[in-house]
Amino acid sequence: MSLGRAKEKEVKEAKEKEVKEKARVAKEKEVKEAKEKKVIEKARVTLEKEVKDKAKVTLEKALKKAKEAKLKEAKEAKEAKVEDAKDTKEAKVKEAKEAKRPKPKRPKRPKTQCCLQH
């Protein structure tokens, strides 16, 4: 009888040992997967950050170029406006000079003796 009980106890211990081993292996596997998941997530976050940074830099460059082009265009428009104003002013001055040209004078009548007495 004691042999049967010893055998049962041995079988029971073997099963418990097997269950504990399986639990340990499962736990190790779970920890390993968690670590891998963490590493993958960290890599993904880093990659996303790099992509965002590159996109931001690209966007900033594009905005800077657009701003420079707009400023250049505004400067050229202003210069053209100034040139037009100069041309207009010169034309007006020329017109005014032409308008101010003395008209040919009529010969004056000689003053008579009668007019000189007044």
Side-chain angles (χ1 to χ4, degrees):
M1 224 39 129
S2 62
L3 274 178
R5 283 192 177 178
K7 189 76 170 169
E8 283 178 20
K9 191 175 182 184
E10 208 177 290
V11 170
K12 190 177 179 183
E13 286 175 1
K15 283 184 179 179
E16 285 176 1
K17 195 174 183 182
E18 191 178 318
V19 168
K20 284 181 182 178
E21 182 65 21
K22 282 184 181 179
R24 186 187 61 78
V25 169
K27 183 72 174 174
E28 286 177 359
K29 188 176 179 183
E30 191 177 308
V31 169
K32 186 178 178 183
E33 286 175 356
K35 283 182 181 178
E36 287 176 355
K37 203 174 189 181
K38 201 172 189 180
V39 168
I40 290 170
E41 182 64 22
K42 191 173 183 181
R44 186 187 63 77
V45 169
T46 305
L47 187 62
E48 281 180 357
K49 187 177 180 186
E50 287 176 5
V51 168
K52 283 181 183 178
D53 289 346
K54 285 181 182 179
K56 186 178 179 183
V57 169
T58 305
L59 182 63
E60 287 173 352
K61 284 182 182 178
L63 288 173
K64 188 175 180 182
K65 282 185 180 181
K67 189 175 182 181
E68 287 174 358
K70 192 175 182 181
L71 288 173
K72 186 177 179 183
E73 190 177 303
K75 188 176 181 182
E76 289 174 356
K78 189 176 182 181
E79 289 174 358
K81 193 176 181 181
V82 169
E83 283 294 319
D84 287 346
K86 283 183 182 177
D87 292 345
T88 305
K89 188 174 181 180
E90 288 174 4
K92 284 184 180 178
V93 168
K94 189 175 179 182
E95 212 176 278
K97 282 183 180 177
E98 287 176 4
K100 286 185 178 178
R101 282 192 184 147
K103 295 178 182 175
K105 293 184 178 178
R106 292 183 288 161
K108 290 185 177 179
R109 288 184 282 150
K111 294 189 176 182
T112 58
Q113 204 62 20
C114 161
C115 289
L116 289 175
Q117 289 175 359
H118 293 300

